[in-house]
Amino acid sequence: MDAIYRPEVIEPEAQQHWEEKQAFKAVEDTSKPKYYCLSMFPYPSGKLHMGHVRNYTIGDVLARYHRMKGYNVLQPMGWDAFGLPAENAAIANDVAPAGWTYSNIDYMRKQLKSLGLAIDWSRELATCKPDYYRWEQWLFTKLFEKGVIYKKMATVNWDPVDHTVLANEQVIDGRGWRSGALVEKRDIPMYFFRITDYAEELLSELDNLPGWPERVKTMQRNWIGKSFGVEIHFPLAERHEVGGEVLKVFTTRADTLFGVTYVAVAAEHPLAQQAAGHDPALAEFIAECKQGSVAEADMATMEKKGMDTGLKVYHPFTNEPIPVFVANYVLMGYGEGAVMAVPAHDERDFAFAQKYALPIKAVIKPTDGELELPLPAAYTEHGVLFDSGDFSGRTSEDAIEKIALVLKNLGLGERRTTFRLRDWGISRQRYWGCPIPIIHCPSCGDVPVPEDQLPVVLPEDVKIDVGSPLKKMPEWSNCACPKCGGKAERETDTMDTFVESSWYYARYACPDLDKGMLDERANYWLPVDQYIGGIEHAILHLLYARFFHKLMRDVGLVNSNEPFANLLTQGMVVAETYYREQPDGKKLWLNPADVETVDGVHLLKADGKPVIAGGTEKMSKSKNNGVDPQALIDKYGADTARLFMMFAAPPEQSLEWSDAGVEGAHRFLKRLWKMVYDHIEQGAANAYSGGELSDALKDFRRQLHQTIQKVTDDIERRKQFNTAIAANMELMNAMAKLEGEDSLTRSLRQEALEAIVLMLAPIVPHICRVLIKALRPGACLVGAAWPTVDESALVQDEIELVLQVNGKLRGKLKVAAAAAKEAIEAAALASPEVQKHMEGKPAKKVVVVPGRLVNIVV
RNA sequence: GCGAAAGUGGCGGAAUUGGUAGACGCACUGGAUUUAGGUUCCAGCGCCUUGCGGCGUGGGGGUUCGAGUCCCCCCUUUCGCACCA
């Protein structure tokens, strides 16, 4: 064994060894429990960022730990290779998206390999390859035939100058990012997955996912948004007749029905369109509503505007006329595209009514009090009805039931359950994506591409400018109708990249299968036992993948209900930002790697002049605060990078980048190396296997086995690696204080060092591979077992209790582990520290918490 | 705007079930080693106080023998909002 720790030598050696031995190749084996460990696959953006390093290290620690525990482990890797950035890069650098993507994959694969991940690379896949997406297209055609996929109009962001559809991300302050033109809403036909058909199951199955973080489940529940309410019909004619025209609205607060003072409809609502026909001002307002992006955050924060249509609807009970407004905050895509407004009991309606001087009519008051009138703000709680005809005096809950019942009898409404969740539109007017396998035939309509004509291959040799090249390639889009053989055209839209990422986890089980999408191997490996990825995916990706799993189940491809048994949502990697004000007032962002801090002053290394700290933020290009993991790996090695990432914060929290912290991690590895080296230099030793121990050695051995117990629990149950590392550091500190070179002491040192090296092996595998070989000649890290706890070493005869007087710490007390409560109480009262702070007063109460403390109340 | 989290020393964080707040590490200070720098090792390190002791987990209130942890209100920050991935 070398005296000096040289990561630059041992890491490539270890990686080469693992690759040659195919050490992490996963083979289906029913004799062992399986463990499928999956980290979210990366988008091949160019090079790895710190978030990737963190994500894949967490996964690797869990994969390697379970391997040591005897599981048959699968840890695969692949590429989420379709997407918008490739098209942007293509325009910027005049290269084809495919070439750009493949070269990024090659570079990033090399980077991933330098991290020493225990990955089965033989299962690697890329979603942009036809052998992957052909099965997505195949499933699409099956689902289209089943009716799970359908076509309808949907609203998109339209750039009127570039004549392209914009992603929400490409709309900045209501303008197209390239053209700067004001964005408009435009309706175009799109394909949709009927995810709402699965809303109920997606909601209820969350209860069967104990391995998911509560907060993710809560977010998904709220996103699905099941609500119980009432559909209410407002007649358009004063004397309503059964079957007459009505305006339908949905509300969860039918109890406030008598407080309705107006109704509001979306700009696209037929009533609004009808009214605009003979009102130019209204037509202009409706046109204005068409401006701006379709993003909900924008819609919800914009100024609420409306205009009276002059039309009236009639209250279903009182028959009073109610004005119909067009409002920019009512969305056609939601429910009926119309809402009833109750200013007295809804904050948004209250603000709107004040702005347009509409009446505010209170009809709900608190159960145990009166309302302050006139209302200073909307009263949104449930309560008791008043001024509500026959329903006055009823509670909100009761009134909702009764009102629904009466409405039903009148034929003007009924109870309804709705979901906030909308169907998933997957059409994208982009090039770099999976082609939608539909052929448009003038006589047969939308015809799915027959199985024997799949895949519909995306041409890779293209020139990109504004808009998708597919729309300008008749040689690609012109084809024969599979049904009638007549002239037809291919769909030129591609699929949302979320579709590819919704089933890749299953394809890893059988990436080589060319006769189908999945085979029985998928049922061997699924569900994924541990899924790891960023918290930003808590809703969309995870919901779509859950949905897709159920779709695959319902066509017989998999036999489980949920794709991911356990989920770990990793926090972001953040770093300090630094900037300088430019003469034009703009900020010039400077990379933290180029800034040094001396006595609390931040200086640019290049010129030694100060820069301004802009706060800690997520590593990003825009703030130039990304730290390249490659520089870190080149300087210190992968083990230091891995250790720092795992030690600096628990995985679910955000992780703050720190140069000094990296130094500390590296120092620790050098210390570990030296400890093993110094021990081995003293000659071979066998791990402790019995014999009488002094109190000091007994204490040390107890600490060793307590540490094994804690680290096992930290990794397996708590998934908190920072405390697992800290416990090993504490054990090493204790060992450094252990003196003596007698064989008993040395045998304990041997036992402890072996355990420490094995416990750290999942985190820092390269160094531990060398150290375990040094400690146990002939040993091999791959296949080494996780250390076990010797229960007999944990036994303790005497324990220390904390003494409190009135809840304040006043002293400590050593008692026999088996001491009776009464004896502890007596000993505590007799202790001089306690006596002093009781000041002669009698004890009112004595609380004894076994094994913990005694609290004396005076 | 809506939904979900987070807030503890100079810094990252620990405290797992309501029971010793600050483990472990970084930074800093002092000492040893070294020609020096670096490295390594040892010791100290929440705030106030000479001391006894007091105060202290974003702010305010509450429950409890006992609250970082539970409850109510407020503030700040972060993530998501359906075409970024």
Side-chain angles (χ1 to χ4, degrees):
Chain A
M1 175 185 180
D2 206 329
I4 308 290
Y5 169 48
R6 277 192 232 279
E8 71 280 12
V9 175
I10 65 166
E11 291 188 354
E13 215 173 78
Q15 287 158 17
Q16 202 189 337
H17 174 80
W18 292 329
E19 183 144 0
E20 278 166 9
K21 296 270 170 206
Q22 296 192 48
F24 308 115
K25 191 166 169 60
V27 179
E28 295 72 28
D29 173 0
T30 48
S31 71
K32 284 200 268 183
K34 63 96 187 174
Y35 185 80
Y36 181 2
C37 183
L38 181 66
S39 294
M40 290 180 186
F41 63 169
Y43 176 78
S45 53
K47 53 188 185 180
L48 288 189
H49 57 67
M50 285 293 176
H52 291 133
V53 178
R54 189 179 197 196
N55 197 161
Y56 303 135
T57 304
I58 293 168
D60 202 45
V61 171
L62 291 168
R64 286 178 181 270
Y65 169 81
H66 283 88
R67 192 173 283 278
M68 291 174 82
K69 289 289 258 187
Y71 287 83
N72 187 31
V73 174
L74 166 60
Q75 184 175 228
M77 184 56 71
W79 309 96
D80 187 13
F82 276 137
L84 198 53
E87 294 189 28
N88 296 334
I91 297 171
N93 310 323
D94 198 28
V95 290
W100 181 84
T101 303
Y102 290 127
S103 73
N104 287 348
I105 288 175
D106 287 341
Y107 184 74
M108 289 172 76
R109 183 192 303 109
K110 207 186 285 172
Q111 285 193 302
L112 281 176
K113 287 191 173 177
S114 77
L115 280 171
L117 305 172
I119 284 171
D120 178 358
W121 283 103
S122 72
R123 293 173 186 254
E124 180 183 353
L125 57 82
T127 58
C128 62
K129 293 202 172 149
D131 61 0
Y132 181 81
Y133 66 69
R134 72 177 289 189
W135 300 112
E136 188 168 308
Q137 293 175 334
W138 171 82
L139 186 64
F140 183 103
T141 60
K142 297 290 155 231
L143 295 172
F144 184 81
E145 282 157 5
K146 263 180 94 175
V148 175
I149 293 170
Y150 66 100
K151 190 154 100 172
K152 69 168 178 182
M153 298 299 278
T155 315
V156 294
N157 302 309
W158 179 255
D159 186 319
V161 170
D162 278 352
H163 299 284
T164 54
V165 174
L166 298 176
N168 283 336
E169 192 194 47
Q170 298 171 313
V171 179
I172 295 154
D173 296 330
R175 291 171 183 275
W177 66 339
R178 265 184 231 289
S179 69
L182 281 173
V183 167
E184 296 169 5
K185 295 183 185 73
R186 177 172 278 211
D187 286 340
I188 58 167
M190 300 214 311
Y191 291 94
F192 281 80
F193 278 83
R194 276 188 216 279
I195 191 171
T196 51
D197 278 3
Y198 287 75
E200 196 71 62
E201 193 192 344
L202 287 166
L203 182 67
S204 62
E205 283 268 330
L206 288 170
D207 297 332
N208 301 330
L209 292 173
W212 278 42
E214 211 47 60
R215 67 163 156 159
V216 174
K217 288 191 278 187
T218 306
M219 282 192 267
Q220 291 216 348
R221 280 188 194 104
N222 292 338
W223 185 262
I224 295 167
K226 184 176 186 177
S227 61
F228 303 96
V230 181
E231 184 182 288
I232 301 178
H233 303 177
F234 288 80
L236 294 184
E238 188 170 2
R239 288 180 213 291
H240 176 69
E241 288 166 25
V242 176
E245 274 191 278
V246 294
L247 175 70
K248 290 182 185 176
V249 304
F250 173 81
T251 179
T252 58
R253 292 297 304 271
D255 54 320
T256 64
L257 181 56
F258 285 80
V260 171
T261 57
Y262 68 101
V263 295
V265 300
E268 299 84 356
H269 196 279
L271 271 188
Q273 299 290 332
Q274 180 197 324
H278 38 79
D279 183 346
L282 188 64
E284 197 177 310
F285 176 71
I286 287 172
E288 191 190 318
C289 288
K290 288 235 164 204
Q291 274 190 6
S293 94
V294 297
E296 191 178 299
D298 293 340
M299 305 281 287
T301 47
M302 73 186 172
E303 193 190 352
K304 309 288 178 287
K305 286 184 186 170
M307 188 175 270
D308 197 340
T309 60
L311 299 172
K312 302 275 187 250
V313 292
Y314 295 88
H315 194 283
F317 290 152
T318 67
N319 217 26
E320 275 177 66
I322 297 166
V324 178
F325 271 68
V326 180
N328 63 353
Y329 64 85
V330 182
L331 303 175
M332 199 57 216
Y334 280 137
E336 306 291 343
V339 294
M340 67 176 215
V342 186
H345 304 294
D346 180 276
E347 279 169 29
R348 193 173 60 182
D349 297 345
F350 187 88
F352 192 88
Q354 281 196 318
K355 183 167 176 177
Y356 293 102
L358 290 158
I360 297 171
K361 188 192 173 202
V363 291
I364 307 286
K365 61 182 181 180
T367 320
D368 53 357
E370 288 302 316
L371 275 185
E372 185 190 337
L373 291 169
L375 283 173
Y379 176 75
T380 59
E381 306 293 310
H382 279 192
V384 180
L385 279 69
F386 67 96
D387 284 355
S388 296
D390 296 344
F391 305 99
S392 294
R394 292 185 184 272
T395 63
S396 293
E397 294 78 5
D398 182 23
I400 290 170
E401 291 299 331
K402 279 285 178 301
I403 287 172
L405 206 68
V406 177
L407 283 171
K408 189 164 184 189
N409 289 337
L410 290 172
L412 288 174
E414 61 186 322
R415 283 230 71 144
R416 239 180 64 190
T417 303
T418 61
F419 293 93
R420 205 186 76 97
L421 183 69
R422 312 198 292 256
D423 274 340
W424 176 16
I426 53 111
S427 293
R428 298 291 178 269
Q429 299 67 47
R430 304 260 161 66
Y431 156 72
W432 190 234
C434 170
I436 291 176
I438 290 284
I439 291 167
H440 302 290
C441 170
S443 37
C444 307
D446 288 3
V447 182
V449 176
E451 193 169 344
D452 59 9
Q453 291 177 31
L454 291 175
V456 177
V457 176
L458 184 73
E460 294 194 349
D461 183 22
V462 293
K463 270 287 205 191
I464 301 270
D465 44 44
V466 170
S468 168
L470 295 183
K471 320 249 181 244
K472 303 164 212 159
M473 295 174 75
E475 70 277 18
W476 182 80
S477 50
N478 288 345
C479 61
C481 171
K483 261 193 192 162
C484 69
K487 273 192 178 177
E489 275 187 35
R490 290 190 190 286
E491 171 65 53
T492 53
D493 281 358
T494 54
M495 286 192 229
D496 180 359
T497 56
F498 271 127
V499 181
E500 284 91 64
S501 58
S502 291
W503 66 283
Y504 76 108
Y505 62 88
R507 183 66 181 180
Y508 279 135
C510 45
D512 53 354
L513 186 67
D514 60 2
K515 304 228 161 14
M517 190 170 187
L518 300 176
D519 63 20
E520 263 313 298
R521 289 175 286 175
N523 283 329
Y524 170 82
W525 289 111
L526 293 173
V528 172
D529 294 280
Q530 182 67 60
Y531 196 34
I532 305 133
I535 182 67
E536 67 272 21
H537 297 292
I539 297 176
L540 291 180
H541 162 61
L542 288 167
L543 191 66
Y544 291 147
R546 292 182 60 218
F547 167 56
F548 229 82
H549 197 82
K550 293 172 197 302
L551 292 179
M552 293 194 291
R553 176 199 62 194
D554 291 348
V555 297
L557 288 165
V558 294
N559 59 16
S560 42
N561 291 321
E562 286 283 336
F564 313 121
N566 293 287
L567 174 69
L568 193 154
T569 49
Q570 139 212 339
M572 294 171 315
V573 182
V574 299
E576 186 61 70
T577 56
Y578 298 100
Y579 67 91
R580 274 181 183 162
E581 295 266 5
Q582 299 283 86
D584 62 1
K586 282 189 182 158
K587 286 172 178 172
L588 174 69
W589 296 95
L590 302 158
N591 195 277
D594 302 327
V595 174
E596 58 183 348
T597 301
V598 183
D599 296 333
V601 182
H602 312 297
L603 307 169
L604 188 67
K605 284 178 189 167
D607 60 13
K609 291 185 184 145
V611 296
I612 303 162
T616 308
E617 298 202 39
K618 177 175 177 171
M619 285 189 177
S620 73
K621 268 189 190 145
S622 60
K623 293 286 168 70
N624 190 17
N625 64 338
V627 178
D628 188 359
Q630 199 57 51
L632 171 64
I633 295 165
D634 292 346
K635 186 168 178 194
Y636 298 101
D639 280 342
T640 295
R642 295 170 59 121
L643 181 66
F644 168 72
M645 289 272 157
M646 295 301 98
F647 182 61
E652 309 230 73
Q653 283 181 32
S654 66
L655 182 148
E656 195 172 321
W657 175 256
S658 151
D659 283 319
V662 174
E663 286 280 354
H666 191 62
R667 192 147 57 217
F668 172 79
L669 293 180
K670 284 199 283 189
R671 190 162 172 241
L672 174 67
W673 183 278
K674 188 166 186 296
M675 261 179 130
V676 173
Y677 178 78
D678 288 349
H679 172 73
I680 286 171
E681 282 298 286
Q682 301 292 317
N686 285 320
Y688 174 78
S689 57
E692 195 62 27
L693 298 176
S694 67
D695 282 353
L697 290 181
K698 211 186 257 177
D699 283 348
F700 175 73
R701 190 154 190 272
R702 187 186 321 114
Q703 188 181 349
L704 165 60
H705 286 274
Q706 279 172 343
T707 303
I708 298 173
Q709 197 170 44
K710 179 182 168 51
V711 172
T712 307
D713 186 50
D714 277 352
I715 294 181
E716 188 166 320
R717 181 181 64 88
R718 301 180 69 210
K719 294 176 183 82
Q720 192 152 313
F721 313 114
N722 56 331
T723 50
I725 295 163
N728 275 296
M729 287 174 168
E730 281 182 78
L731 183 61
M732 279 170 63
N733 291 343
M735 192 165 73
K737 292 194 168 70
L738 203 62
E739 287 178 0
E741 288 301 331
D742 57 287
S743 65
L744 204 55
T745 308
R746 295 205 69 230
S747 73
L748 278 185
R749 240 180 240 136
Q750 177 79 21
E751 186 187 10
L753 283 171
E754 286 183 17
I756 289 167
V757 167
L758 291 171
M759 283 191 281
L760 293 174
I763 299 163
V764 284
H766 307 90
I767 186 173
C768 290
R769 172 174 174 266
V770 177
L771 296 181
I772 200 67
K773 280 170 182 282
L775 285 164
R776 290 182 189 165
C780 180
L781 189 68
V782 179
W786 186 254
T788 49
V789 177
D790 179 355
E791 297 287 339
S792 70
L794 300 175
V795 178
Q796 214 170 345
D797 320 324
E798 211 176 34
I799 51 170
E800 196 176 55
L801 297 182
V802 162
L803 297 178
Q804 293 181 336
V805 178
N806 287 338
K808 283 191 170 27
L809 174 69
R810 295 302 181 186
K812 288 181 182 175
L813 181 67
K814 275 202 169 164
V815 295
K821 209 171 170 178
E822 294 72 26
I824 292 171
E825 215 174 293
L829 284 167
S831 116
E833 294 105 329
V834 169
Q835 287 284 326
K836 183 178 156 200
H837 287 94
M838 286 174 75
E839 296 165 345
K841 289 176 217 153
K844 225 194 272 177
K845 188 174 178 183
V846 181
V847 182
V848 179
V849 183
R852 284 260 180 204
L853 57 72
V854 184
N855 187 18
I856 293 150
V857 187
V858 297

